[in-house]
Amino acid sequence: MKILVTGTSGQLARSLAERAPGKADIVLVGRPDLDLEDPTTFAPVLNSVAPDMVINAAAHTGVDQQEDEPERAFRINAEAPAELARLTRLAGIPIVQVSTDYVFDGRLERPYVETDIPNPLTVYGRSKLAGEEAVRAGNPDHLVVRTAWVISCHGRNFVKTMLSLAATRDRLQVVADQFGNPTEAHDLADGLLAAAATWQKRRGFPQGLYHLAGQGRASWYDLAAHIFDVSASLGGPSAFVEPVGSDQWPAKAARPANSQLNSEAFARDFNYRAGEWRERVGALVTELTGSTHR
C-alpha cells in the first residue's frame, strides 16, 4: 500500500517513515514540491506518486503565532485540506486528516469523546476544526484523527525544549493547571498505519472521526517534572520546576484547561492503543540524552 504523506520534516511525517517498513510504502512530500500554501502543487504530486491513500500530516502549528496571521492559518489548516479532499475524492482514494485536541475549549472535567461538541478558543483550533469539516465535506472516504501534545526525537516539542532550557537554567516555571495527554509521535504513526491496514482490508473506515492520544493525564508541570527526573537519573540536564497557574504565564492564545482525549473508540475499531505517557517520555528522554541505560 502506497501512502503519500504531506511534509518531510515534521514529527509525524518522520515517524511514519520510520514505522512503515513492512507495513506500507511511505512517500514523504513537502515544499517546494507540495506546498500547503500553494494548492496548484497538489494535483501534480498526486498524479506523479499515484498513492493508495493520503495522510495530511503537515500543518501550521504555531499556536501563538497564528493569532497574528489568521489568514495564513486558515490557508494551511483549512483550505489546503479542502483541496486535498477534493482531489483525493476525484482520484477515488481515502484521505486521513490529522487534527488536534485544541478544537475543544477545555471546560469539561473528563476526557473528550468524539461526540463532544468542539468550541475552539484559538485561531489554531478554529482553523484545524475548519480543516476537519472541509475534509468531511470533500471526501466521503475520510478519516479525521485528533491527537494531543505530540513529542518525539524529531522536530520541536516540549521535551526537547525542556532539556535545552535545563542546560542553561537551574530553575523553570511551568504551567500546572492545563491538562492533556502527551503522545509519542511513533505511537501516533503506528495507530495511523493500523487504521490504514484496516481500510485496506475493509475498503473503508468504521467511522470518520477518532481520538488517538497517549494514555494517562498530565499537566505541563507533571510532564516537565518527569522529564527532569529521568534526565537527572541518567546524568543529563535537569532543573527545579516551579508550578505556576495559567494566569502567571500569559500567552497570546488561550489554551484549554483540559484537553484530554478519550481514545477508546480507536482502540475498539483498530485494535491499537498508544503507550502510557510516563513510559514513553522516559524512553524518549533516555534517547535524547544519549544514554544507553533503559
Side-chain angles (χ1 to χ4, degrees), residues 23-86:
K23 301 175 185 175
D25 176 16
I26 294 288
V27 181
L28 304 181
V29 185
R31 292 178 296 183
D33 299 308
L34 191 153
D35 184 347
L36 293 186
E37 293 193 77
D38 182 4
T40 64
T41 64
F42 300 172
V45 168
L46 279 171
N47 289 336
S48 113
V49 174
D52 302 301
M53 176 180 292
V54 169
I55 296 179
N56 184 26
H60 185 348
T61 57
V63 178
D64 289 319
Q65 180 185 353
Q66 290 181 43
E67 295 298 307
D68 293 325
E69 47 184 44
E71 290 183 1
R72 183 166 184 253
F74 273 83
R75 186 161 59 248
I76 296 172
N77 294 341
E79 294 170 19
E83 179 63 4
L84 285 170
R86 185 184 75 84

Side-chain angles (χ1 to χ4, degrees), residues 48-249:
S48 113
V49 174
D52 302 301
M53 176 180 292
V54 169
I55 296 179
N56 184 26
H60 185 348
T61 57
V63 178
D64 289 319
Q65 180 185 353
Q66 290 181 43
E67 295 298 307
D68 293 325
E69 47 184 44
E71 290 183 1
R72 183 166 184 253
F74 273 83
R75 186 161 59 248
I76 296 172
N77 294 341
E79 294 170 19
E83 179 63 4
L84 285 170
R86 185 184 75 84
L87 291 171
T88 51
R89 176 181 58 80
L90 292 175
I93 60 175
I95 181 170
V96 177
Q97 171 73 7
V98 180
S99 193
T100 174
D101 54 331
Y102 277 31
V103 300
F104 295 113
D105 59 21
R107 293 183 179 135
L108 289 183
E109 295 184 0
R110 59 164 173 78
Y112 283 88
V113 297
E114 289 83 353
T115 53
D116 287 323
I117 298 173
N119 184 34
L121 303 174
T122 62
V123 169
Y124 172 63
R126 290 193 292 274
S127 68
K128 291 296 287 183
L129 180 60
E132 291 184 12
E133 294 167 346
V135 167
R136 190 175 300 117
N139 186 343
D141 196 0
H142 69 267
L143 179 67
V144 174
V145 178
R146 295 175 182 147
T147 192
W149 295 27
V150 179
I151 55 174
S152 73
C153 59
H154 304 303
R156 294 181 296 174
N157 59 72
F158 187 82
V159 175
K160 294 177 76 173
T161 296
M162 289 295 103
L163 291 173
S164 176
L165 289 173
T168 59
R169 301 187 197 179
D170 295 327
R171 186 184 188 93
L172 296 169
Q173 292 183 323
V174 179
V175 171
D177 59 358
Q178 296 171 9
F179 296 89
N181 309 101
T183 308
E184 212 282 329
H186 288 100
D187 281 353
L188 178 56
D190 287 342
L192 294 182
L193 290 169
T198 296
W199 180 91
Q200 193 172 26
K201 291 175 185 175
R202 299 177 49 156
R203 290 294 151 178
F205 298 111
Q207 63 187 48
L209 172 64
Y210 290 91
H211 293 168
L212 176 58
Q215 296 182 55
R217 172 183 186 264
S219 68
W220 293 113
Y221 167 79
D222 295 331
L223 180 52
H226 187 55
I227 291 166
F228 294 140
D229 283 347
V230 175
S231 183
S233 74
L234 299 168
S238 185
F240 174 79
V241 186
E242 178 187 353
V244 297
S246 301
D247 57 347
Q248 296 174 263
W249 194 267

